[in-house]
């Protein structure tokens, strides 16, 4: 097995795959939202067990997820408006 090919033996690199990061970020945000609802429903038992910080972690997850959705959307719009994309 050879680990190195000369340039004339190499096949061209494939085109990069276009992935939709919004679905992944949205799934994580929904998961944190479910965790937040559960933390609010079971707030008293969590507080008595010393795990009241779970609520803060869930709030942080939801907020960061919403920020992530905005960032992914901006990146997607910029990619759609790039001159390289319109030349295809």
């Amino acid at each position: 097995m050879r680990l190195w090919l000369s340039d004339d033996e190499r096949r061209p690199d494939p085109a990069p795959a276009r992935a939709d990061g919004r679905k992944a970020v949205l799934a994580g945000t929904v998961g944190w939202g479910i965790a937040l609802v559960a933390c609010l429903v079971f707030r008293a038992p969590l507080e008595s067990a010393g795990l009241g910080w779970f609520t803060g972690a869930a709030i942080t997850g939801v907020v960061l997820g919403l920020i992530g959705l905005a960032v992914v959307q901006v990146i997607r719009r910029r990619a759609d408006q790039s001159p390289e994309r319109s030349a295809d």
Side-chain angles (χ1 to χ4, degrees):
M1 173 197 228
R2 292 178 24 189
L3 298 177
W4 183 79
L5 295 174
S6 64
D7 287 337
D8 58 339
E9 293 177 312
R10 268 185 87 235
R11 289 186 282 173
D13 293 336
R18 183 170 165 104
D20 188 6
R22 295 177 298 178
K23 292 177 185 174
V25 175
L26 183 62
T29 305
V30 168
W32 280 113
I34 292 169
L36 177 60
V37 170
C39 285
L40 293 175
V41 168
F42 299 108
R43 186 174 189 167
L46 286 172
E47 291 288 338
S48 65
L51 301 173
W53 62 270
F54 279 15
T55 305
I59 290 170
T60 304
V62 169
V63 170
L64 289 176
L66 293 174
I67 292 170
L69 280 172
V71 168
V72 168
Q73 186 64 27
V74 167
I75 291 171
R76 185 177 175 91
R77 283 187 184 160
R78 286 185 183 169
D80 288 342
Q81 295 173 355
S82 72
E84 295 172 359
R85 179 85 175 142
S86 61
D88 291 339

